[in-house]
Amino acid sequence: MSVPTLELNDGHRIPQLGFGVFKVDPAETERIVLDALEAGYRHIDTAAIYGNEQGVGAAIAASGIPREELFITTKLWNDRQAGDDPLAAIDESLDKLGLAQVDLYLTHWPAPANGHFVNAWTKLVEIRDAGKARSIGVSNHLPEHLDAIIEATGVTPAVDQIELHPAYQQREVTSYGARAGIAIEAWGPLGQGKYPLFDEEPVAQAAAAHGKTPAQVVLRWHLQQGYIVFPKSNRLERMRENIDVFDFELTTAQQDAITALERDGRVSAHPSEVN
Ligand code: NAD
């Protein structure tokens, strides 16, 4: 299974499809991530707040896969953005992961009411310059937040990781990303199982036409839009299904019909509400 890579604005490359571990039980993370690695995933998306970095690290160590073949992302939680605390937070994450460097480190949310996300970004730049993160980016940042951090530092994030699926496409953020060279990572790419994407007719029709599942069609839509995805599943058969999306292509008409499913269908929190 060969997953294509995309070039980020700092020249480093990222596998376009990975495995997310939000809500993966810390006690089960090592086994589940080992299953994902066995299924062929090489890009893992975790976060300090998920409480399972240690399990991800244990799986990396147990897998014996050379470090350079893996792409590991983690994230700075909102209560660690002030002062020099991000510098301590990355050291704690690296320690739990058992790594000297992550491939990508993100500010998890702007948490605007706290007023520290610009400081957090200046510290992520320091973390990158110290070699503890190869690339740096943000998550859940809206255009106003992106403007503020770029203006303060002159450094454009490599990625913005946002809730995005066919029913909630966040076009203001994606067009900002296209203009500024910020890659878009789509979290909740399957609508977190909360939005009935799989019953939508264009999804079901394309699945029948290609002999694929609705989940595979939705993931394929993301990939053809140019987004980076890391669907989550605890089940090996679904992990295999979700990475088995490189042997077919949606036609332009199928892609467009799925793009027309925009319904402002946000399933999770809004960036201005999370602090
Ligand atoms: P997702 O859209 O990947 O949905 C996961 C759910 O979809 C699973 O629990 C399962 O019930 C279902 N599912 C998975 N594969 C399926 C299949 N083949 N067929 C049918 N159902 C299937 O949602 P997610 O896990 O929230 O998002 C993916 C990743 O994005 C996370 O694991 C995490 O790494 C990241 N994330 C980031 C943020 C953020 O704020 N930055 C927030 C949420 C998630």
Short mmCIF file of all heavy atoms in Angstrom, two decimals, residues 19-24 45-46 50 75 106 108-109 139-140 161-162 186-193 198 213 215-216 219 230-234 238-239 241-242 268, ligand 1:
data_model
loop_
_atom_site.label_atom_id
_atom_site.label_comp_id
_atom_site.label_asym_id
_atom_site.label_seq_id
_atom_site.Cartn_x
_atom_site.Cartn_y
_atom_site.Cartn_z
N PHE A 19 -3.28 7.94 10.37
CA PHE A 19 -4.17 7.31 11.35
C PHE A 19 -4.29 8.23 12.55
O PHE A 19 -3.29 8.60 13.16
CB PHE A 19 -3.58 5.95 11.77
CG PHE A 19 -4.45 5.18 12.71
CD1 PHE A 19 -5.62 4.59 12.25
CD2 PHE A 19 -4.11 5.05 14.05
CE1 PHE A 19 -6.45 3.89 13.13
CE2 PHE A 19 -4.94 4.34 14.92
CZ PHE A 19 -6.10 3.76 14.46
N GLY A 20 -5.53 8.60 12.92
CA GLY A 20 -5.76 9.49 14.05
C GLY A 20 -6.11 8.70 15.30
O GLY A 20 -6.77 7.66 15.21
N VAL A 21 -5.68 9.19 16.46
CA VAL A 21 -5.92 8.43 17.69
C VAL A 21 -6.73 9.21 18.74
O VAL A 21 -6.67 8.92 19.93
CB VAL A 21 -4.61 7.89 18.31
CG1 VAL A 21 -3.96 6.88 17.38
CG2 VAL A 21 -3.64 9.00 18.66
N PHE A 22 -7.56 10.18 18.28
CA PHE A 22 -8.48 10.87 19.19
C PHE A 22 -9.43 9.83 19.79
O PHE A 22 -10.01 9.02 19.06
CB PHE A 22 -9.25 11.92 18.39
CG PHE A 22 -10.27 12.70 19.17
CD1 PHE A 22 -9.98 13.23 20.42
CD2 PHE A 22 -11.53 12.95 18.63
CE1 PHE A 22 -10.92 13.97 21.12
CE2 PHE A 22 -12.48 13.70 19.31
CZ PHE A 22 -12.18 14.21 20.56
N LYS A 23 -9.59 9.86 21.11
CA LYS A 23 -10.49 8.94 21.81
C LYS A 23 -10.04 7.49 21.78
O LYS A 23 -10.84 6.59 22.04
CB LYS A 23 -11.93 9.06 21.30
CG LYS A 23 -12.52 10.42 21.62
CD LYS A 23 -14.03 10.41 21.60
CE LYS A 23 -14.58 11.69 22.18
NZ LYS A 23 -15.86 12.06 21.62
N VAL A 24 -8.80 7.24 21.41
CA VAL A 24 -8.27 5.87 21.54
C VAL A 24 -7.81 5.72 22.98
O VAL A 24 -7.00 6.52 23.47
CB VAL A 24 -7.13 5.60 20.54
CG1 VAL A 24 -6.49 4.24 20.81
CG2 VAL A 24 -7.65 5.67 19.11
N ASP A 45 -1.45 10.68 13.98
CA ASP A 45 -1.84 12.00 14.51
C ASP A 45 -2.34 11.84 15.95
O ASP A 45 -3.40 11.27 16.18
CB ASP A 45 -2.95 12.60 13.63
CG ASP A 45 -3.33 14.00 14.08
OD1 ASP A 45 -4.22 14.14 14.95
OD2 ASP A 45 -2.74 14.96 13.56
N THR A 46 -1.55 12.35 16.91
CA THR A 46 -1.97 12.32 18.31
C THR A 46 -1.95 13.74 18.86
O THR A 46 -1.81 14.72 18.11
CB THR A 46 -1.09 11.34 19.14
OG1 THR A 46 -1.61 11.27 20.47
CG2 THR A 46 0.37 11.76 19.19
N TYR A 50 -4.94 13.96 24.26
CA TYR A 50 -5.54 12.63 24.06
C TYR A 50 -5.06 11.65 25.14
O TYR A 50 -5.65 10.58 25.31
CB TYR A 50 -5.21 12.05 22.67
CG TYR A 50 -5.66 12.85 21.48
CD1 TYR A 50 -5.22 12.54 20.19
CD2 TYR A 50 -6.54 13.93 21.61
CE1 TYR A 50 -5.62 13.28 19.09
CE2 TYR A 50 -6.94 14.67 20.51
CZ TYR A 50 -6.47 14.35 19.25
OH TYR A 50 -6.86 15.07 18.15
N LYS A 75 0.31 17.69 19.46
CA LYS A 75 -0.25 19.05 19.56
C LYS A 75 -0.10 19.59 20.97
O LYS A 75 -0.19 18.84 21.95
CB LYS A 75 -1.74 19.03 19.18
CG LYS A 75 -2.05 18.23 17.91
CD LYS A 75 -3.49 18.34 17.47
CE LYS A 75 -3.79 17.33 16.37
NZ LYS A 75 -4.17 16.00 16.84
N LEU A 106 1.67 21.05 16.44
CA LEU A 106 0.59 22.00 16.18
C LEU A 106 0.11 22.69 17.45
O LEU A 106 0.02 22.05 18.50
CB LEU A 106 -0.63 21.27 15.58
CG LEU A 106 -0.41 20.37 14.37
CD1 LEU A 106 -1.74 19.74 13.94
CD2 LEU A 106 0.20 21.15 13.21
N HIS A 108 -3.04 23.38 19.25
CA HIS A 108 -4.27 22.58 19.07
C HIS A 108 -5.51 23.43 18.76
O HIS A 108 -6.31 23.08 17.89
CB HIS A 108 -4.50 21.74 20.33
CG HIS A 108 -5.31 20.50 20.11
ND1 HIS A 108 -5.04 19.32 20.76
CD2 HIS A 108 -6.36 20.24 19.30
CE1 HIS A 108 -5.91 18.40 20.36
NE2 HIS A 108 -6.72 18.93 19.48
N TRP A 109 -5.68 24.53 19.50
CA TRP A 109 -6.80 25.47 19.26
C TRP A 109 -6.27 26.87 19.53
O TRP A 109 -5.39 27.04 20.38
CB TRP A 109 -7.95 25.21 20.26
CG TRP A 109 -8.68 23.91 20.10
CD1 TRP A 109 -8.34 22.72 20.65
CD2 TRP A 109 -9.90 23.68 19.38
NE1 TRP A 109 -9.25 21.76 20.30
CE2 TRP A 109 -10.22 22.31 19.53
CE3 TRP A 109 -10.75 24.49 18.61
CZ2 TRP A 109 -11.35 21.74 18.94
CZ3 TRP A 109 -11.88 23.92 18.04
CH2 TRP A 109 -12.17 22.56 18.20
N SER A 139 -3.94 24.20 14.43
CA SER A 139 -5.19 23.47 14.27
C SER A 139 -6.32 24.40 14.70
O SER A 139 -6.15 25.22 15.61
CB SER A 139 -5.16 22.21 15.14
OG SER A 139 -6.36 21.49 15.01
N ASN A 140 -7.44 24.28 14.03
CA ASN A 140 -8.66 25.05 14.38
C ASN A 140 -8.45 26.56 14.32
O ASN A 140 -9.11 27.31 15.04
CB ASN A 140 -9.15 24.63 15.77
CG ASN A 140 -9.47 23.16 15.83
OD1 ASN A 140 -10.30 22.67 15.05
ND2 ASN A 140 -8.81 22.41 16.70
N GLN A 161 -5.08 22.27 10.72
CA GLN A 161 -5.89 21.05 10.88
C GLN A 161 -7.26 21.47 11.38
O GLN A 161 -7.38 21.96 12.50
CB GLN A 161 -5.19 20.09 11.87
CG GLN A 161 -5.96 18.80 12.07
CD GLN A 161 -5.30 17.82 13.03
OE1 GLN A 161 -5.92 17.37 13.98
NE2 GLN A 161 -4.05 17.47 12.78
N ILE A 162 -8.29 21.29 10.56
CA ILE A 162 -9.62 21.82 10.88
C ILE A 162 -10.69 20.75 10.67
O ILE A 162 -10.49 19.81 9.90
CB ILE A 162 -9.96 23.04 9.99
CG1 ILE A 162 -9.83 22.69 8.49
CG2 ILE A 162 -9.09 24.23 10.35
CD1 ILE A 162 -10.32 23.79 7.54
N ALA A 186 -7.79 17.59 7.29
CA ALA A 186 -9.22 17.50 7.60
C ALA A 186 -9.44 16.57 8.79
O ALA A 186 -9.25 15.36 8.67
CB ALA A 186 -9.98 16.96 6.40
N TRP A 187 -9.81 17.14 9.95
CA TRP A 187 -10.16 16.23 11.07
C TRP A 187 -11.65 15.92 11.03
O TRP A 187 -12.43 16.68 10.46
CB TRP A 187 -9.67 16.72 12.41
CG TRP A 187 -10.20 17.96 13.09
CD1 TRP A 187 -9.53 19.16 13.22
CD2 TRP A 187 -11.43 18.13 13.82
NE1 TRP A 187 -10.28 20.04 13.96
CE2 TRP A 187 -11.45 19.43 14.35
CE3 TRP A 187 -12.52 17.30 14.08
CZ2 TRP A 187 -12.51 19.93 15.11
CZ3 TRP A 187 -13.59 17.79 14.83
CH2 TRP A 187 -13.56 19.10 15.34
N GLY A 188 -11.99 14.75 11.62
CA GLY A 188 -13.38 14.31 11.49
C GLY A 188 -13.74 14.10 10.02
O GLY A 188 -14.84 14.45 9.60
N PRO A 189 -12.84 13.50 9.23
CA PRO A 189 -13.08 13.44 7.78
C PRO A 189 -14.32 12.64 7.41
O PRO A 189 -14.90 12.85 6.34
CB PRO A 189 -11.81 12.75 7.24
CG PRO A 189 -11.29 11.94 8.40
CD PRO A 189 -11.61 12.79 9.62
N LEU A 190 -14.73 11.74 8.33
CA LEU A 190 -15.94 10.93 8.09
C LEU A 190 -17.12 11.51 8.87
O LEU A 190 -18.12 10.83 9.09
CB LEU A 190 -15.68 9.48 8.50
CG LEU A 190 -14.51 8.80 7.77
CD1 LEU A 190 -14.22 7.42 8.37
CD2 LEU A 190 -14.80 8.67 6.28
N GLY A 191 -16.99 12.76 9.30
CA GLY A 191 -18.06 13.37 10.10
C GLY A 191 -18.15 12.76 11.48
O GLY A 191 -19.19 12.86 12.15
N GLN A 192 -17.08 12.12 11.92
CA GLN A 192 -16.99 11.48 13.25
C GLN A 192 -18.13 10.49 13.48
O GLN A 192 -18.50 10.21 14.61
CB GLN A 192 -16.98 12.53 14.37
CG GLN A 192 -15.74 13.41 14.36
CD GLN A 192 -15.63 14.29 15.59
OE1 GLN A 192 -16.63 14.84 16.06
NE2 GLN A 192 -14.42 14.44 16.11
N GLY A 193 -18.72 9.99 12.42
CA GLY A 193 -19.85 9.08 12.60
C GLY A 193 -21.11 9.80 13.08
O GLY A 193 -22.15 9.18 13.31
N PHE A 198 -22.73 8.86 4.89
CA PHE A 198 -22.72 7.64 4.09
C PHE A 198 -24.06 7.37 3.41
O PHE A 198 -24.13 6.60 2.46
CB PHE A 198 -22.33 6.43 4.96
CG PHE A 198 -20.97 6.56 5.61
CD1 PHE A 198 -20.64 5.78 6.71
CD2 PHE A 198 -20.03 7.45 5.13
CE1 PHE A 198 -19.39 5.89 7.31
CE2 PHE A 198 -18.77 7.57 5.73
CZ PHE A 198 -18.47 6.78 6.83
N THR A 213 -16.69 1.16 -0.45
CA THR A 213 -17.64 1.50 0.61
C THR A 213 -17.84 3.02 0.63
O THR A 213 -16.99 3.79 0.15
CB THR A 213 -17.12 1.06 1.99
OG1 THR A 213 -15.96 1.83 2.29
CG2 THR A 213 -16.78 -0.43 1.99
N ALA A 215 -17.44 4.98 3.10
CA ALA A 215 -16.30 5.60 3.81
C ALA A 215 -15.12 5.78 2.86
O ALA A 215 -14.45 6.82 2.87
CB ALA A 215 -15.90 4.73 5.01
N GLN A 216 -14.87 4.79 2.04
CA GLN A 216 -13.76 4.90 1.08
C GLN A 216 -14.01 6.03 0.08
O GLN A 216 -13.09 6.75 -0.30
CB GLN A 216 -13.56 3.57 0.35
CG GLN A 216 -12.96 2.49 1.26
CD GLN A 216 -12.94 1.12 0.62
OE1 GLN A 216 -13.87 0.73 -0.09
NE2 GLN A 216 -11.87 0.38 0.85
N LEU A 219 -13.32 9.37 1.86
CA LEU A 219 -11.87 9.58 2.00
C LEU A 219 -11.25 9.94 0.65
O LEU A 219 -10.37 10.80 0.57
CB LEU A 219 -11.21 8.33 2.60
CG LEU A 219 -11.62 8.06 4.05
CD1 LEU A 219 -11.12 6.70 4.51
CD2 LEU A 219 -11.09 9.17 4.98
N PHE A 230 -6.66 11.59 8.35
CA PHE A 230 -6.19 10.50 9.24
C PHE A 230 -7.40 9.96 9.98
O PHE A 230 -7.62 10.23 11.16
CB PHE A 230 -5.10 10.98 10.22
CG PHE A 230 -5.07 12.47 10.41
CD1 PHE A 230 -5.93 13.08 11.30
CD2 PHE A 230 -4.20 13.26 9.68
CE1 PHE A 230 -5.94 14.44 11.45
CE2 PHE A 230 -4.19 14.65 9.82
CZ PHE A 230 -5.07 15.23 10.73
N PRO A 231 -8.22 9.18 9.24
CA PRO A 231 -9.42 8.61 9.86
C PRO A 231 -9.04 7.71 11.03
O PRO A 231 -7.95 7.13 11.05
CB PRO A 231 -10.05 7.79 8.74
CG PRO A 231 -8.92 7.50 7.79
CD PRO A 231 -8.01 8.68 7.89
N LYS A 232 -9.95 7.62 11.99
CA LYS A 232 -9.70 6.81 13.18
C LYS A 232 -10.65 5.62 13.19
O LYS A 232 -11.83 5.74 12.88
CB LYS A 232 -9.95 7.69 14.41
CG LYS A 232 -9.82 6.96 15.72
CD LYS A 232 -11.16 6.90 16.41
CE LYS A 232 -11.16 5.87 17.50
NZ LYS A 232 -12.47 5.76 18.14
N SER A 233 -10.11 4.47 13.54
CA SER A 233 -10.94 3.31 13.85
C SER A 233 -10.15 2.41 14.78
O SER A 233 -8.93 2.31 14.65
CB SER A 233 -11.33 2.54 12.59
OG SER A 233 -12.05 1.38 12.97
N ASN A 234 -10.84 1.76 15.71
CA ASN A 234 -10.16 0.81 16.60
C ASN A 234 -10.09 -0.56 15.98
O ASN A 234 -9.46 -1.45 16.52
CB ASN A 234 -10.94 0.69 17.92
CG ASN A 234 -10.79 1.92 18.78
OD1 ASN A 234 -9.94 2.77 18.52
ND2 ASN A 234 -11.61 2.04 19.81
N ARG A 238 -11.50 -2.08 9.54
CA ARG A 238 -11.80 -0.71 9.07
C ARG A 238 -10.52 0.07 8.78
O ARG A 238 -10.47 0.90 7.88
CB ARG A 238 -12.65 0.02 10.09
CG ARG A 238 -14.11 -0.35 9.96
CD ARG A 238 -14.95 0.54 10.81
NE ARG A 238 -16.36 0.35 10.53
CZ ARG A 238 -17.33 0.82 11.29
NH1 ARG A 238 -17.04 1.52 12.38
NH2 ARG A 238 -18.59 0.62 10.96
N MET A 239 -9.48 -0.19 9.57
CA MET A 239 -8.18 0.46 9.26
C MET A 239 -7.76 0.07 7.85
O MET A 239 -7.30 0.92 7.08
CB MET A 239 -7.09 -0.02 10.23
CG MET A 239 -7.30 0.39 11.67
SD MET A 239 -5.96 -0.36 12.66
CE MET A 239 -6.62 -0.15 14.30
N GLU A 241 -9.70 -0.97 5.43
CA GLU A 241 -10.64 -0.36 4.47
C GLU A 241 -10.26 1.10 4.21
O GLU A 241 -10.23 1.56 3.07
CB GLU A 241 -12.05 -0.45 5.08
CG GLU A 241 -13.14 0.21 4.29
CD GLU A 241 -14.49 0.16 5.04
OE1 GLU A 241 -14.73 -0.78 5.83
OE2 GLU A 241 -15.29 1.07 4.82
N ASN A 242 -9.92 1.81 5.29
CA ASN A 242 -9.69 3.26 5.16
C ASN A 242 -8.38 3.61 4.44
O ASN A 242 -8.23 4.74 3.96
CB ASN A 242 -9.72 3.92 6.54
CG ASN A 242 -11.10 3.87 7.17
OD1 ASN A 242 -12.09 3.60 6.49
ND2 ASN A 242 -11.17 4.13 8.47
N SER A 268 -18.70 19.31 15.58
CA SER A 268 -17.97 19.46 16.84
C SER A 268 -17.87 20.94 17.22
O SER A 268 -18.60 21.77 16.69
CB SER A 268 -16.60 18.80 16.70
OG SER A 268 -16.02 18.62 17.95
P1 NAD B 1 -13.50 10.45 11.94
O1 NAD B 1 -14.31 11.27 11.01
O2 NAD B 1 -12.23 9.82 11.50
O3 NAD B 1 -14.52 9.38 12.50
C1 NAD B 1 -14.13 8.33 13.31
C2 NAD B 1 -15.34 7.41 13.50
O4 NAD B 1 -15.85 7.01 12.22
C3 NAD B 1 -14.90 6.12 14.16
O5 NAD B 1 -15.01 6.22 15.55
C4 NAD B 1 -15.84 5.10 13.59
O6 NAD B 1 -17.01 5.06 14.36
C5 NAD B 1 -16.20 5.67 12.24
N1 NAD B 1 -15.50 4.97 11.14
C6 NAD B 1 -14.15 4.92 10.90
N2 NAD B 1 -13.89 4.22 9.79
C7 NAD B 1 -15.08 3.80 9.32
C8 NAD B 1 -15.48 3.04 8.20
N3 NAD B 1 -14.58 2.58 7.33
N4 NAD B 1 -16.80 2.80 8.00
C9 NAD B 1 -17.72 3.29 8.87
N5 NAD B 1 -17.43 4.03 9.95
C10 NAD B 1 -16.11 4.28 10.18
O7 NAD B 1 -13.30 11.34 13.26
P2 NAD B 1 -12.12 11.65 14.26
O8 NAD B 1 -11.50 10.43 14.82
O9 NAD B 1 -12.67 12.63 15.22
O10 NAD B 1 -11.07 12.41 13.33
C11 NAD B 1 -9.90 11.79 12.83
C12 NAD B 1 -8.68 12.29 13.56
O11 NAD B 1 -8.59 13.71 13.48
C13 NAD B 1 -8.69 12.03 15.07
O12 NAD B 1 -8.46 10.70 15.42
C14 NAD B 1 -7.63 13.00 15.52
O13 NAD B 1 -6.34 12.50 15.22
C15 NAD B 1 -7.95 14.20 14.64
N6 NAD B 1 -8.82 15.18 15.33
C16 NAD B 1 -8.32 16.42 15.57
C17 NAD B 1 -9.09 17.38 16.21
C18 NAD B 1 -8.51 18.74 16.45
O14 NAD B 1 -9.11 19.54 17.16
N7 NAD B 1 -7.36 19.04 15.89
C19 NAD B 1 -10.39 17.09 16.63
C20 NAD B 1 -10.89 15.81 16.37
C21 NAD B 1 -10.11 14.88 15.70
#
